[in-house]
């Protein structure tokens, strides 16, 4: 049996490097500064309850697979350190786990990750409304296929590099679908319900219309794991 702790990730601007500032600016514009700050506080608390869970278990020797991680070893460790310094809660937690004896693994295929990042960057950097529309349409038409290719690579990479009897942790964006691509001999432990994480993100732009449900989902995000 191969054991995998599955952590659905809600990305913050610090996770996204050069894309982060543009996404923050867009979030404030679309949702308002007060609500955007409230959303960020929720995400900070979400990461705190995830960190509390991992503080309670043994992680030495556990393999870490991270969304977007295209390398491992010393270079991978440097990426984790630098992104943690930028304020990424995800990478701060990964860094803590590595210091406790966990092992960082290459998770993704660089060309696939770069292709998706380049297409997102093209949307953000588009100068005119028409150009933005065209780049957005192009991205929309190809994003599902690209995500499927990434997910297939990630699932194969985990299966190939995780031995029977070993334990791993996967930090992955909630819209990825890795679990269904893993062989049946994997025991997957989801510490947060992926569907609820997706619903929170989906309702974010229309939180006023679905106020009560959004409040319920926000409370779920910050609830204790297993509580």
């Amino acid at each position: 049996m191969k054991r995998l702790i599955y952590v659905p990730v809600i990305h913050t601007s610090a996770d996204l490097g050069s894309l982060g500032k543009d996404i923050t600016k867009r979030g404030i514009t679309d949702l308002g500064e007060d609500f955007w700050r409230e959303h960020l506080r929720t995400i900070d608390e979400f990461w705190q309850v995830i960190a509390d869970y991992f503080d309670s278990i043994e992680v030495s020797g556990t393999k870490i697979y991270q969304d977007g991680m295209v390398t491992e070893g010393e270079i991978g460790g440097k990426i984790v350190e630098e992104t943690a310094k930028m304020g990424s809660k995800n990478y701060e937690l990964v860094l803590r786990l590595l210091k406790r004896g966990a092992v960082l693994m290459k998770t993704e295929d660089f060309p696939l990750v770069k292709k998706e990042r380049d297409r997102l960057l093209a949307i953000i950097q588009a100068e005119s409304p028409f150009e933005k529309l065209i780049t957005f349409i192009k991205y929309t038409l190809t994003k599902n296929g690209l995500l499927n290719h990434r997910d297939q690579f990630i699932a194969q990479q985990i299966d190939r590099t995780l031995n029977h009897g070993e334990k791993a942790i996967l930090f992955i964006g909630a819209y990825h679908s890795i679990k269904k691509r893993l062989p049946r001999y994997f025991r997957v432990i989801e510490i947060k319900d992926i569907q609820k994480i997706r619903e929170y993100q989906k309702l974010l732009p229309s939180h006023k219309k679905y106020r009560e449900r959004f409040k319920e989902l926000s409370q779920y995000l910050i609830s204790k794991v297993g509580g």
Side-chain angles (χ1 to χ4, degrees):
M1 180 183 294
K2 302 183 181 186
R3 293 177 295 164
L4 182 70
I5 300 175
Y6 200 112
V7 186
V9 167
I10 301 177
H11 291 296
T12 64
S13 58
D15 299 324
L16 303 173
S18 59
L19 295 174
K21 290 183 179 179
D22 293 295
I23 290 174
T24 296
K25 188 182 301 182
R26 179 178 158 190
I28 293 173
T29 300
D30 293 347
L31 301 173
E33 187 169 359
D34 288 343
F35 180 77
W36 183 252
R37 291 185 184 279
E38 182 180 335
H39 164 65
L40 294 182
R41 284 195 295 270
T42 298
I43 302 311
D44 281 349
E45 292 184 47
F46 165 81
W47 279 111
Q48 186 57 57
V49 298
I50 299 298
D52 290 344
Y53 167 78
F54 284 112
D55 283 345
S56 70
I57 66 173
E58 177 58 54
V59 298
S60 181
T62 300
K63 293 180 176 178
I64 305 291
Y65 298 89
Q66 168 65 47
D67 188 344
M69 184 58 61
V70 297
T71 186
E72 55 192 15
E74 184 176 353
I75 295 176
K78 290 292 183 183
I79 292 173
V80 171
E81 288 180 9
E82 291 303 314
T83 311
K85 286 179 183 177
M86 292 169 60
S88 167
K89 299 299 182 182
N90 182 177
Y91 280 79
E92 285 177 6
L93 176 53
V94 171
L95 184 59
R96 285 169 60 182
L97 294 172
L98 296 180
K99 289 180 177 179
R100 291 173 57 200
V103 181
L104 184 68
M105 305 296 293
K106 174 182 175 178
T107 308
E108 296 224 47
D109 177 57
F110 176 75
L112 290 176
V113 173
K114 184 177 185 300
K115 187 179 292 186
E116 180 164 21
R117 182 182 179 83
D118 287 347
R119 290 175 182 175
L120 287 171
L121 193 61
I123 296 171
I124 291 171
Q125 293 181 339
E127 295 182 357
S128 69
F130 178 74
E131 184 182 355
K132 189 177 290 289
L133 176 62
I134 294 302
T135 54
F136 178 76
I137 290 173
K138 287 181 179 179
Y139 174 71
T140 302
L141 291 173
T142 60
K143 70 174 184 177
N144 287 338
L146 187 55
L147 188 64
N148 286 336
H149 286 306
R150 285 180 64 193
D151 287 353
Q152 189 62 38
F153 182 93
I154 292 169
Q156 291 175 347
Q157 180 73 355
I158 294 172
D159 187 31
R160 186 178 66 82
T161 57
L162 187 67
N163 298 319
H164 283 276
E166 290 185 327
K167 181 172 68 176
I169 303 167
L170 172 64
F171 294 96
I172 192 74
Y175 282 96
H176 287 265
S177 298
I178 308 301
K179 183 179 176 180
K180 68 181 183 181
R181 291 177 166 83
L182 294 170
R184 292 185 178 181
Y185 48 72
F186 270 82
R187 181 191 174 200
V188 179
I189 303 168
E190 297 180 22
I191 64 172
K192 284 289 181 179
D193 188 318
I194 296 173
Q195 296 303 324
K196 290 182 179 179
I197 303 298
R198 289 177 181 173
E199 188 180 358
Y200 174 89
Q201 293 178 306
K202 183 179 179 180
L203 295 185
L204 191 61
S206 52
H207 64 279
K208 292 181 180 179
K209 183 178 180 181
Y210 302 98
R211 192 183 303 274
E212 289 303 315
R213 179 56 178 164
F214 189 80
K215 184 178 179 181
E216 290 176 5
L217 293 168
S218 298
Q219 289 300 312
Y220 172 74
L221 259 62
I222 64 177
S223 63
K224 181 179 179 182
V225 174

